[in-house]
Amino acid sequence: MTAPSSGPGAWDFGAELRAVDAAQLRRRRRVIDAYEGVRLRIDGRDMLSFCSNDYLGLAQHPALVQAAQEAASRWGVGATASPVLCGHSRAHEQLEQELAAFVGLPRALYFYAGFPANAGLVPALVGRGDAVFSDALNHACLIDGARLSRADIQVYAHCDVDDLARRLQASAARRRLITTDAVFSMDGNLAPLPELLELAERFDALLLVDDAHGFGVLGPHGAGSAAAFGLRSPRLLYMATLGKAAGVAGAFVAGSADAVEFLMQRTRSYIFATAAPAMIAETLRASLRLIAEESWRRERLRELVRMVREHAHWPPSWRLGDSTTPVQPILLGSNQAALEAMRRLWDQGLWVPAIRPPTVPEGSARLRLSLSAAHATDDVRCLLRAIESWDH
Ligand SMILES: *Cc1c(COP(=O)(O)O)cnc(C)c1O
Protein backbone atom coordinates (compact mmCIF):
# COMPACT_ATOMS: atom_id res chain seq x y z
CA MET A 1 0.00 0.00 0.00
CA THR A 2 1.26 3.50 -0.76
CA ALA A 3 1.60 5.99 2.07
CA PRO A 4 -1.45 8.20 2.43
CA SER A 5 -1.14 11.54 0.72
CA SER A 6 -0.44 14.30 3.25
CA GLY A 7 -2.09 17.05 1.25
CA PRO A 8 -5.47 17.69 -0.26
CA GLY A 9 -6.22 16.18 -3.65
CA ALA A 10 -3.42 16.64 -6.15
CA TRP A 11 -1.05 18.09 -3.56
CA ASP A 12 1.08 15.61 -1.68
CA PHE A 13 3.07 18.07 0.39
CA GLY A 14 4.73 15.31 2.42
CA ALA A 15 6.15 13.62 -0.68
CA GLU A 16 7.29 16.97 -2.07
CA LEU A 17 9.12 17.74 1.16
CA ARG A 18 10.77 14.29 1.23
CA ALA A 19 12.03 14.98 -2.30
CA VAL A 20 13.43 18.32 -1.11
CA ASP A 21 15.25 16.51 1.69
CA ALA A 22 16.55 13.76 -0.61
CA ALA A 23 18.15 16.43 -2.83
CA GLN A 24 19.66 18.10 0.26
CA LEU A 25 17.77 21.24 -0.61
CA ARG A 26 15.74 21.83 2.54
CA ARG A 27 16.16 25.39 3.75
CA ARG A 28 16.06 25.97 7.47
CA ARG A 29 15.63 29.27 9.22
CA ARG A 30 17.66 29.99 12.30
CA VAL A 31 15.92 32.02 14.94
CA ILE A 32 18.09 34.97 15.98
CA ASP A 33 17.39 35.97 19.57
CA ALA A 34 19.57 39.05 19.56
CA TYR A 35 22.35 40.55 17.55
CA GLU A 36 24.86 43.30 17.50
CA GLY A 37 26.58 43.88 14.18
CA VAL A 38 27.96 40.53 13.06
CA ARG A 39 27.56 38.89 16.50
CA LEU A 40 24.40 36.82 16.69
CA ARG A 41 22.82 34.97 19.62
CA ILE A 42 21.19 31.72 18.45
CA ASP A 43 19.91 28.93 20.72
CA GLY A 44 21.98 30.34 23.57
CA ARG A 45 25.18 30.36 21.49
CA ASP A 46 27.20 33.31 20.26
CA MET A 47 27.85 33.11 16.54
CA LEU A 48 30.01 35.24 14.29
CA SER A 49 28.07 35.89 11.10
CA PHE A 50 29.34 36.05 7.54
CA CYS A 51 25.83 35.88 6.09
CA SER A 52 24.28 39.27 6.08
CA ASN A 53 24.14 41.81 3.26
CA ASP A 54 24.54 44.64 5.75
CA TYR A 55 27.80 45.45 3.99
CA LEU A 56 28.36 48.81 5.63
CA GLY A 57 27.18 47.71 9.08
CA LEU A 58 24.42 50.33 9.16
CA ALA A 59 21.37 48.23 10.10
CA GLN A 60 21.68 49.09 13.80
CA HIS A 61 23.40 52.46 13.52
CA PRO A 62 22.23 54.72 16.39
CA ALA A 63 21.58 57.62 13.99
CA LEU A 64 19.25 55.42 11.96
CA VAL A 65 17.49 54.04 15.01
CA GLN A 66 16.96 57.60 16.19
CA ALA A 67 15.71 58.70 12.77
CA ALA A 68 13.24 55.80 12.78
CA GLN A 69 12.02 56.64 16.28
CA GLU A 70 11.53 60.30 15.48
CA ALA A 71 9.84 59.49 12.19
CA ALA A 72 7.51 57.02 13.91
CA SER A 73 6.51 59.72 16.38
CA ARG A 74 5.84 62.15 13.55
CA TRP A 75 4.30 59.90 10.89
CA GLY A 76 3.15 56.80 12.73
CA VAL A 77 4.09 53.38 11.38
CA GLY A 78 1.90 52.68 8.34
CA ALA A 79 1.66 54.43 4.96
CA THR A 80 -2.09 53.58 4.75
CA ALA A 81 -2.34 53.22 0.95
CA SER A 82 -0.63 52.95 -2.40
CA PRO A 83 1.61 55.89 -3.32
CA VAL A 84 -0.82 56.81 -6.12
CA LEU A 85 -3.62 57.10 -3.56
CA CYS A 86 -2.59 58.77 -0.30
CA GLY A 87 0.54 56.77 0.62
CA HIS A 88 3.14 59.21 -0.74
CA SER A 89 4.33 61.56 2.01
CA ARG A 90 6.76 64.48 2.03
CA ALA A 91 9.30 61.96 3.41
CA HIS A 92 8.90 59.73 0.33
CA GLU A 93 9.09 62.75 -1.96
CA GLN A 94 12.30 64.02 -0.37
CA LEU A 95 13.81 60.54 -0.33
CA GLU A 96 13.22 60.17 -4.08
CA GLN A 97 14.89 63.51 -4.79
CA GLU A 98 17.84 62.57 -2.59
CA LEU A 99 18.17 59.12 -4.18
CA ALA A 100 18.24 60.65 -7.68
CA ALA A 101 20.89 63.17 -6.60
CA PHE A 102 22.85 60.42 -4.83
CA VAL A 103 23.24 58.34 -7.99
CA GLY A 104 23.47 61.36 -10.31
CA LEU A 105 20.35 60.64 -12.38
CA PRO A 106 17.41 62.96 -13.05
CA ARG A 107 14.66 61.14 -11.18
CA ALA A 108 14.04 58.16 -8.86
CA LEU A 109 11.01 56.11 -7.84
CA TYR A 110 11.06 54.44 -4.41
CA PHE A 111 9.62 50.93 -3.90
CA TYR A 112 8.87 49.05 -0.66
CA ALA A 113 11.15 46.17 -1.75
CA GLY A 114 13.48 45.10 -4.52
CA PHE A 115 11.84 41.86 -5.57
CA PRO A 116 8.49 43.39 -6.50
CA ALA A 117 10.32 46.34 -8.06
CA ASN A 118 12.03 44.20 -10.69
CA ALA A 119 9.10 41.81 -11.01
CA GLY A 120 7.02 44.87 -11.94
CA LEU A 121 9.52 46.99 -13.86
CA VAL A 122 10.31 44.42 -16.54
CA PRO A 123 6.65 43.87 -17.52
CA ALA A 124 6.15 47.65 -17.51
CA LEU A 125 8.90 47.98 -20.10
CA VAL A 126 8.27 45.04 -22.43
CA GLY A 127 5.41 42.78 -23.47
CA ARG A 128 4.34 40.43 -26.24
CA GLY A 129 6.35 41.01 -29.42
CA ASP A 130 9.28 42.42 -27.42
CA ALA A 131 12.38 40.66 -26.10
CA VAL A 132 14.26 40.53 -22.81
CA PHE A 133 17.97 39.69 -22.90
CA SER A 134 18.83 38.32 -19.49
CA ASP A 135 22.23 37.31 -18.06
CA ALA A 136 22.28 33.61 -17.17
CA LEU A 137 23.02 34.39 -13.51
CA ASN A 138 20.48 37.16 -12.98
CA HIS A 139 18.57 37.38 -9.71
CA ALA A 140 15.24 35.54 -9.45
CA CYS A 141 13.21 38.77 -9.47
CA LEU A 142 14.58 39.80 -12.89
CA ILE A 143 13.81 36.30 -14.17
CA ASP A 144 10.26 36.41 -12.80
CA GLY A 145 9.76 39.91 -14.20
CA ALA A 146 10.77 38.62 -17.63
CA ARG A 147 8.36 35.68 -17.34
CA LEU A 148 5.52 37.95 -16.26
CA SER A 149 6.13 40.27 -19.20
CA ARG A 150 5.26 37.64 -21.85
CA ALA A 151 8.16 38.99 -23.92
CA ASP A 152 10.50 36.55 -25.66
CA ILE A 153 13.25 35.67 -23.16
CA GLN A 154 16.81 35.38 -24.44
CA VAL A 155 19.19 34.13 -21.74
CA TYR A 156 22.74 35.04 -22.72
CA ALA A 157 25.83 33.34 -21.32
CA HIS A 158 27.05 34.92 -18.08
CA CYS A 159 28.72 38.29 -18.80
CA ASP A 160 29.26 37.21 -22.41
CA VAL A 161 28.88 40.37 -24.51
CA ASP A 162 29.56 38.49 -27.75
CA ASP A 163 26.72 36.08 -27.09
CA LEU A 164 24.49 39.03 -26.20
CA ALA A 165 25.48 40.92 -29.38
CA ARG A 166 24.66 37.87 -31.53
CA ARG A 167 21.25 37.53 -29.90
CA LEU A 168 20.48 41.23 -30.27
CA GLN A 169 21.56 41.12 -33.90
CA ALA A 170 19.30 38.14 -34.60
CA SER A 171 16.30 39.59 -32.80
CA ALA A 172 13.33 40.87 -34.75
CA ALA A 173 11.59 42.04 -31.56
CA ARG A 174 9.82 45.36 -31.59
CA ARG A 175 11.57 46.55 -28.40
CA ARG A 176 14.60 45.11 -26.63
CA LEU A 177 15.47 45.20 -22.93
CA ILE A 178 18.79 43.99 -21.51
CA THR A 179 18.67 43.06 -17.82
CA THR A 180 21.60 42.31 -15.56
CA ASP A 181 22.72 42.20 -11.95
CA ALA A 182 25.51 44.78 -11.63
CA VAL A 183 27.24 42.77 -8.90
CA PHE A 184 26.11 39.14 -9.14
CA SER A 185 24.55 38.25 -5.84
CA MET A 186 26.05 34.77 -5.40
CA ASP A 187 29.37 35.34 -7.21
CA GLY A 188 30.31 38.90 -6.33
CA ASN A 189 31.68 39.64 -9.80
CA LEU A 190 30.76 42.74 -11.79
CA ALA A 191 28.81 42.79 -15.04
CA PRO A 192 30.60 44.49 -17.97
CA LEU A 193 28.31 47.51 -17.70
CA PRO A 194 30.04 49.85 -20.20
CA GLU A 195 29.98 47.14 -22.89
CA LEU A 196 26.35 46.32 -22.14
CA LEU A 197 25.39 49.98 -22.45
CA GLU A 198 27.29 50.19 -25.73
CA LEU A 199 25.26 47.26 -27.06
CA ALA A 200 22.07 48.93 -25.87
CA GLU A 201 23.03 52.02 -27.90
CA ARG A 202 24.02 49.98 -30.94
CA PHE A 203 20.87 47.83 -31.00
CA ASP A 204 18.30 50.38 -29.85
CA ALA A 205 17.75 48.63 -26.52
CA LEU A 206 17.31 49.70 -22.90
CA LEU A 207 19.62 48.47 -20.13
CA LEU A 208 18.07 47.73 -16.71
CA VAL A 209 20.78 47.27 -14.10
CA ASP A 210 20.07 45.71 -10.67
CA ASP A 211 22.69 47.07 -8.28
CA ALA A 212 21.43 45.42 -5.08
CA HIS A 213 25.01 44.56 -4.05
CA GLY A 214 26.85 47.58 -5.45
CA PHE A 215 24.82 50.49 -4.14
CA GLY A 216 26.52 51.98 -1.07
CA VAL A 217 29.60 49.82 -1.62
CA LEU A 218 31.01 50.82 -5.01
CA GLY A 219 31.47 54.12 -6.79
CA PRO A 220 32.14 57.64 -5.52
CA HIS A 221 30.50 58.10 -2.06
CA GLY A 222 28.87 54.70 -2.55
CA ALA A 223 26.78 55.87 -5.51
CA GLY A 224 26.96 52.37 -6.98
CA SER A 225 28.22 50.40 -9.95
CA ALA A 226 26.91 52.64 -12.74
CA ALA A 227 28.51 55.69 -11.11
CA ALA A 228 31.73 53.70 -10.61
CA PHE A 229 31.89 53.31 -14.40
CA GLY A 230 30.71 56.90 -14.95
CA LEU A 231 27.77 55.68 -17.05
CA ARG A 232 25.17 58.16 -18.24
CA SER A 233 22.63 57.49 -20.94
CA PRO A 234 18.90 57.85 -21.50
CA ARG A 235 19.05 54.10 -22.22
CA LEU A 236 20.17 53.29 -18.68
CA LEU A 237 17.68 52.40 -15.97
CA TYR A 238 19.45 52.00 -12.66
CA MET A 239 17.75 49.95 -9.95
CA ALA A 240 19.14 49.29 -6.48
CA THR A 241 17.87 47.92 -3.20
CA LEU A 242 17.97 49.62 0.18
CA GLY A 243 17.82 46.69 2.59
CA LYS A 244 21.43 45.65 2.03
CA ALA A 245 24.26 48.21 2.27
CA ALA A 246 21.76 50.97 3.11
CA GLY A 247 20.73 48.91 6.12
CA VAL A 248 16.99 49.63 6.02
CA ALA A 249 14.45 48.35 3.44
CA GLY A 250 13.10 49.10 -0.01
CA ALA A 251 14.46 49.76 -3.48
CA PHE A 252 14.41 52.37 -6.19
CA VAL A 253 14.72 52.79 -9.91
CA ALA A 254 16.37 55.88 -11.38
CA GLY A 255 16.69 57.24 -14.91
CA SER A 256 15.46 60.04 -17.11
CA ALA A 257 12.48 62.01 -15.81
CA ASP A 258 10.21 60.71 -18.56
CA ALA A 259 11.26 57.09 -18.15
CA VAL A 260 10.66 57.20 -14.40
CA GLU A 261 7.30 58.94 -14.83
CA PHE A 262 6.33 56.25 -17.36
CA LEU A 263 7.39 53.51 -14.91
CA MET A 264 5.28 55.10 -12.18
CA GLN A 265 2.25 54.98 -14.49
CA ARG A 266 2.81 51.40 -15.61
CA THR A 267 4.44 49.34 -12.85
CA ARG A 268 1.70 47.23 -11.31
CA SER A 269 3.74 46.28 -8.22
CA TYR A 270 4.11 50.03 -7.56
CA ILE A 271 0.54 51.11 -8.18
CA PHE A 272 -1.28 48.18 -6.58
CA ALA A 273 0.72 47.90 -3.35
CA THR A 274 0.77 49.84 -0.11
CA ALA A 275 3.64 52.31 0.05
CA ALA A 276 6.55 51.69 2.41
CA PRO A 277 5.99 53.45 5.74
CA ALA A 278 7.14 57.08 5.85
CA MET A 279 9.29 56.17 8.85
CA ILE A 280 11.28 53.87 6.58
CA ALA A 281 11.66 56.63 4.01
CA GLU A 282 12.92 59.04 6.70
CA THR A 283 15.32 56.40 8.01
CA LEU A 284 16.68 55.93 4.50
CA ARG A 285 17.30 59.65 4.18
CA ALA A 286 19.51 59.43 7.26
CA SER A 287 21.17 56.34 5.82
CA LEU A 288 22.08 58.14 2.58
CA ARG A 289 23.89 60.77 4.62
CA LEU A 290 25.87 58.12 6.51
CA ILE A 291 26.74 56.19 3.33
CA ALA A 292 28.20 59.34 1.78
CA GLU A 293 29.94 60.65 4.91
CA GLU A 294 31.40 57.51 6.48
CA SER A 295 33.71 56.48 3.67
CA TRP A 296 35.82 54.58 6.22
CA ARG A 297 33.20 51.82 5.97
CA ARG A 298 34.02 51.25 2.30
CA GLU A 299 37.74 51.40 3.09
CA ARG A 300 37.34 48.79 5.84
CA LEU A 301 35.46 46.56 3.40
CA ARG A 302 38.19 46.83 0.80
CA GLU A 303 40.76 45.89 3.42
CA LEU A 304 38.74 42.82 4.50
CA VAL A 305 38.23 41.74 0.89
CA ARG A 306 42.00 42.02 0.38
CA MET A 307 42.64 39.85 3.47
CA VAL A 308 40.42 37.09 2.12
CA ARG A 309 41.78 37.30 -1.44
CA GLU A 310 45.40 37.26 -0.33
CA HIS A 311 44.95 34.38 2.08
CA ALA A 312 47.18 31.59 0.84
CA HIS A 313 45.98 28.52 2.68
CA TRP A 314 42.74 27.41 1.11
CA PRO A 315 42.10 23.67 1.04
CA PRO A 316 43.13 22.31 -2.38
CA SER A 317 39.56 21.36 -3.37
CA TRP A 318 38.21 24.85 -2.59
CA ARG A 319 38.12 27.50 -5.25
CA LEU A 320 37.66 31.15 -4.40
CA GLY A 321 35.45 32.87 -6.98
CA ASP A 322 36.71 35.79 -9.00
CA SER A 323 35.27 38.67 -7.00
CA THR A 324 36.60 42.00 -5.77
CA THR A 325 33.43 42.86 -3.83
CA PRO A 326 32.33 41.96 -0.28
CA VAL A 327 30.59 38.87 -1.70
CA GLN A 328 33.30 36.18 -1.75
CA PRO A 329 32.09 32.80 -2.98
CA ILE A 330 33.99 29.62 -2.13
CA LEU A 331 33.00 27.10 -4.79
CA LEU A 332 32.61 23.54 -3.55
CA GLY A 333 30.42 21.83 -6.16
CA SER A 334 28.06 19.38 -4.50
CA ASN A 335 25.28 20.32 -2.12
CA GLN A 336 26.71 17.83 0.33
CA ALA A 337 30.19 19.39 0.31
CA ALA A 338 28.75 22.86 0.83
CA LEU A 339 26.50 21.72 3.69
CA GLU A 340 29.34 19.81 5.31
CA ALA A 341 31.64 22.85 5.18
CA MET A 342 28.90 25.04 6.61
CA ARG A 343 28.32 22.57 9.47
CA ARG A 344 32.00 22.40 10.35
CA LEU A 345 32.25 26.17 10.53
CA TRP A 346 29.00 26.36 12.46
CA ASP A 347 30.44 24.01 15.09
CA GLN A 348 33.27 26.51 15.50
CA GLY A 349 30.85 29.39 16.06
CA LEU A 350 31.16 30.73 12.52
CA TRP A 351 28.14 31.13 10.28
CA VAL A 352 28.95 31.07 6.59
CA PRO A 353 25.90 30.03 4.57
CA ALA A 354 25.88 27.20 2.04
CA ILE A 355 24.19 28.28 -1.19
CA ARG A 356 22.56 25.57 -3.30
CA PRO A 357 20.38 25.34 -6.41
CA PRO A 358 18.16 26.86 -7.56
CA THR A 359 19.87 29.95 -6.10
CA VAL A 360 23.01 28.89 -8.02
CA PRO A 361 23.34 26.51 -11.00
CA GLU A 362 23.31 22.75 -10.41
CA GLY A 363 26.76 21.49 -9.33
CA SER A 364 28.02 24.90 -8.21
CA ALA A 365 27.03 24.82 -4.55
CA ARG A 366 29.23 27.06 -2.47
CA LEU A 367 29.87 28.90 0.73
CA ARG A 368 28.93 32.54 0.29
CA LEU A 369 31.21 34.58 2.46
CA SER A 370 29.77 38.03 2.94
CA LEU A 371 31.95 40.72 4.48
CA SER A 372 30.76 43.77 6.39
CA ALA A 373 32.31 46.94 7.71
CA ALA A 374 31.01 45.63 11.05
CA HIS A 375 33.66 42.86 10.92
CA ALA A 376 36.92 43.50 12.70
CA THR A 377 40.06 42.29 10.96
CA ASP A 378 40.31 39.76 13.81
CA ASP A 379 36.91 38.35 12.87
CA VAL A 380 38.10 37.58 9.36
CA ARG A 381 41.43 36.27 10.68
CA CYS A 382 39.49 33.96 12.98
CA LEU A 383 37.50 32.54 10.05
CA LEU A 384 40.57 32.03 7.88
CA ARG A 385 42.41 30.30 10.73
CA ALA A 386 39.47 28.03 11.40
CA ILE A 387 39.46 26.85 7.79
CA GLU A 388 43.24 26.45 7.79
CA SER A 389 43.19 24.30 10.92
CA TRP A 390 41.03 21.54 9.43
CA ASP A 391 42.54 18.31 8.13
CA HIS A 392 41.72 18.09 4.46
C1 LIG B 1 18.24 41.04 -2.60
C2 LIG B 1 18.11 41.24 -4.06
C3 LIG B 1 16.93 41.71 -4.62
C4 LIG B 1 15.66 41.84 -3.83
O1 LIG B 1 15.64 42.97 -3.06
P1 LIG B 1 14.74 43.00 -1.74
O2 LIG B 1 14.68 44.44 -1.38
O3 LIG B 1 15.44 42.15 -0.75
O4 LIG B 1 13.39 42.44 -2.11
C5 LIG B 1 16.92 42.02 -5.95
N1 LIG B 1 18.01 41.82 -6.72
C6 LIG B 1 19.16 41.32 -6.23
C7 LIG B 1 20.32 41.14 -7.13
C8 LIG B 1 19.24 41.00 -4.88
O5 LIG B 1 20.35 40.48 -4.39
Side-chain angles (χ1 to χ4, degrees):
M1 226 180 80
T2 52
S5 161
S6 66
W11 287 270
D12 188 341
F13 298 125
E16 299 283 352
L17 290 171
R18 284 190 293 280
V20 169
D21 283 335
Q24 310 214 47
L25 287 174
R26 172 87 71 144
R27 277 141 167 92
R28 291 181 200 283
R29 298 177 304 175
R30 296 282 181 175
V31 180
I32 316 292
D33 286 308
Y35 80 99
E36 201 183 325
V38 288
R39 268 151 251 284
L40 276 46
R41 191 134 188 101
I42 302 169
D43 297 335
R45 276 185 72 194
D46 290 317
M47 300 294 297
L48 179 58
S49 157
F50 292 90
C51 317
S52 97
N53 299 313
D54 182 18
Y55 301 119
L56 299 179
L58 293 178
Q60 292 177 310
H61 195 290
L64 300 194
V65 173
Q66 192 189 343
Q69 285 167 340
E70 285 173 12
S73 301
R74 175 168 172 206
W75 294 103
V77 294
T80 79
S82 155
V84 299
L85 283 174
C86 55
H88 187 67
S89 71
R90 180 63 58 195
H92 295 86
E93 182 70 16
Q94 287 170 319
L95 172 64
E96 287 185 344
Q97 286 167 8
E98 288 163 12
L99 283 167
F102 197 90
V103 297
L105 289 165
R107 190 173 163 195
L109 186 68
Y110 167 57
F111 285 76
Y112 54 95
F115 196 110
N118 279 339
L121 289 168
V122 178
L125 291 164
V126 286
R128 264 189 236 284
D130 301 332
V132 180
F133 300 82
S134 176
D135 187 285
L137 295 187
N138 272 352
H139 191 268
C141 58
L142 284 173
I143 297 171
D144 287 5
R147 289 175 179 164
L148 268 175
S149 76
R150 297 183 170 93
D152 173 42
I153 302 173
Q154 296 278 325
V155 178
Y156 62 90
H158 179 52
C159 289
D160 187 337
V161 288
D162 295 329
D163 185 30
L164 173 58
R166 274 192 297 276
R167 289 170 183 274
L168 284 162
Q169 179 89 55
S171 169
R174 193 164 54 108
R175 291 181 301 192
R176 299 167 194 81
L177 174 68
I178 305 167
T179 63
T180 187
D181 284 22
V183 174
F184 287 87
S185 53
M186 297 300 136
D187 293 80
N189 61 316
L190 271 161
L193 295 183
E195 288 88 345
L196 296 180
L197 189 57
E198 225 176 272
L199 288 180
E201 308 273 358
R202 174 137 67 97
F203 291 100
D204 188 21
L206 287 181
L207 173 63
L208 172 62
V209 167
D210 174 347
D211 202 21
H213 301 272
F215 181 78
V217 172
L218 303 175
H221 65 263
S225 306
F229 285 111
L231 302 184
R232 285 191 75 90
S233 162
R235 295 184 179 277
L236 173 68
L237 290 170
Y238 176 84
M239 176 272 184
T241 70
L242 301 166
K244 290 170 178 152
V248 190
F252 69 100
V253 62
S256 75
D258 280 349
V260 172
E261 176 65 20
F262 168 85
L263 289 170
M264 193 184 104
Q265 302 300 326
R266 287 293 174 82
T267 306
R268 292 166 65 83
S269 56
Y270 187 78
I271 297 168
F272 299 106
T274 302
M279 64 177 282
I280 300 296
E282 289 285 18
T283 309
L284 281 165
R285 297 181 64 206
S287 171
L288 290 183
R289 288 192 286 276
L290 284 178
I291 294 171
E293 280 163 15
E294 302 198 347
S295 55
W296 65 265
R297 293 176 187 273
R298 278 179 290 283
E299 279 152 32
R300 160 81 62 82
L301 267 178
R302 277 193 288 273
E303 185 190 333
L304 298 178
V305 169
R306 206 175 311 119
M307 272 179 77
V308 169
R309 307 277 331 157
E310 288 173 4
H311 183 69
H313 308 289
W314 296 105
S317 63
W318 292 26
R319 191 168 70 74
L320 196 59
D322 188 15
S323 159
T324 54
T325 68
V327 177
Q328 292 290 323
I330 303 167
L331 295 149
L332 297 168
S334 73
N335 295 346
Q336 172 138 23
L339 287 174
E340 174 61 23
M342 175 169 80
R343 264 184 229 118
R344 284 184 81 166
L345 289 170
W346 182 271
D347 291 342
Q348 292 172 274
L350 301 160
W351 188 2
V352 185
I355 308 289
R356 292 160 288 167
T359 313
V360 292
E362 213 56 60
S364 73
R366 66 198 64 186
L367 292 178
R368 178 182 185 267
L369 179 57
S370 169
L371 299 166
S372 167
H375 284 121
T377 48
D378 269 350
D379 294 335
V380 174
R381 214 167 277 137
C382 171
L383 172 72
L384 296 174
R385 277 214 202 99
I387 291 170
E388 231 176 280
S389 69
W390 297 356
D391 303 322
H392 294 282

